[in-house]
Amino acid sequence: MSGWSHRHVLDLASFSREDFAAVLDLAQQFRSLPITGARKLPALQGRLVATLFFEPSTRTRSSFELAAKRLSADVMSFSPSSSSLSKGESVLDTARTYVAMGADVLVVRHRSTGVPQQLALDLQQMGERTVVLNGGDGLHSHPSQGLLDLLTLTRFFSPQHPMPEALQGRRIVIVGDILHSRVARSNLWALTACGADVVLCGPPSLVPEDFAAFVDAPPPGLLKDPVPQRGKISVVRRLEHALPGADAVMTLRLQKERMGQQLLTSLKRYHRDFGLSHERMQLCGEDVPVLHPGPVNRGIELSGSLLDDPRVSLVEEQVRNGVPTRMALLYLMAASESATEASLVSSSS
Ligand code: NCD
């Protein structure tokens, strides 16, 4: 996979358009392969992937584990409540335990921003070759979710050829709790890199005005943005103004566990002003899809009937796309590390 330069995958700010295209291309190939049961791909045979989730997860963790298994990796998982974390062991020492057992990849989720980044740095300084994949850190970043959302959207607009160009000039509306959402931040880097214009919609307490400038400065740690020209971001307060002309709408969970203070007067009022329903979606026009990364608060971010309507809801499709997307990430990381590229075609036969 020439051109892939990411040893660790910690955020999407440093991804070029070519990087997004490489992930989409591989994920699309993995998606079309009938990989079940014994029909696994040998790409990660003999490799050990450990999922270290210091915060709860349903989709991300199981999807990473399934992706690793489908590439023939051995998988170990860690659960904070039954681990030595409760005896006071640090995150780094916990990670080092898995490295000592031979982990090649650590997928790390933590409630604090920067933990996967710090781990990657610490392990590198210790001379370890283990790579770190960010499974979601604090409010900061959730790269694999941003990538699976990108696969879902590009496949919606261009099912046979889901490439970044499929989003050029599209208007993607993201509604809700942007402030506390690492998913929104990762989507902002990914969508604007593909040339989409993103409209953020919510109350000032959840969508601060300065999000409009989110991608204006070079990404942290980089002197220059790897994407020459990004789509624009705007902030719109009322759903009635955000939805007309939308090509897709993504809504986000109200992340109450990350809110330090009362930011909403009432959930009922939030649903009235920002909740999506079939009726509301009529403002967009025909066949505009709805996305949500899950977990969903039914009846708050969107109505149950909209969530369950397969004609508009891409929520299950997002979950389905999680596995091939994470396979693509694991594959690219392993391939860049060993520099010996397994041929997809021969390995799937
Ligand atoms: C998200 C997360 O954990 O950041 N969920 C996910 O990974 N699918 C979003 C959320 O918690 O609301």
Side-chain angles (χ1 to χ4, degrees), residues 59-60 109 142 145 182-183 253 255 257-258 293-295:
R59 295 156 190 77
T60 308
R109 168 173 286 192
H142 192 346
Q145 181 72 42
R182 53 196 178 205
V183 176
R253 185 173 67 89
Q255 301 178 59
E257 78 283 10
R258 295 184 194 142

Side-chain angles (χ1 to χ4, degrees), residues 35-69:
I35 318 166
T36 50
R39 286 182 63 88
K40 292 178 182 165
L41 300 177
L44 295 191
Q45 211 150 39
R47 306 282 185 114
L48 183 54
V49 175
T51 53
L52 310 188
F53 278 57
F54 298 90
E55 206 192 39
S57 166
T58 304
R59 295 156 190 77
T60 308
R61 180 189 189 141
S62 38
S63 166
F64 262 120
E65 292 180 356
L66 191 54
K69 286 177 187 164

Side-chain angles (χ1 to χ4, degrees), residues 127-202:
E128 299 290 354
R129 51 171 191 75
T130 311
V131 297
V132 178
L133 232 154
N134 185 355
D137 66 314
L139 313 182
H140 170 238
S141 173
H142 192 346
S144 65
Q145 181 72 42
L147 291 167
L148 77 87
D149 291 340
L150 199 60
L151 180 65
T152 306
L153 281 168
T154 51
R155 275 182 54 83
F156 179 82
F157 295 117
S158 175
Q160 301 310 322
H161 193 62
M163 283 291 111
E165 301 73 61
L167 294 189
Q168 186 65 46
R170 304 266 182 197
R171 177 179 164 99
I172 313 291
V173 178
I174 307 183
V175 187
D177 187 1
I178 315 288
L179 180 63
H180 300 97
S181 175
R182 53 196 178 205
V183 176
R185 286 176 177 80
S186 284
N187 265 287
L188 284 175
W189 289 113
L191 296 173
T192 58
C194 297
D197 293 325
V198 183
V199 178
L200 302 176
C201 181

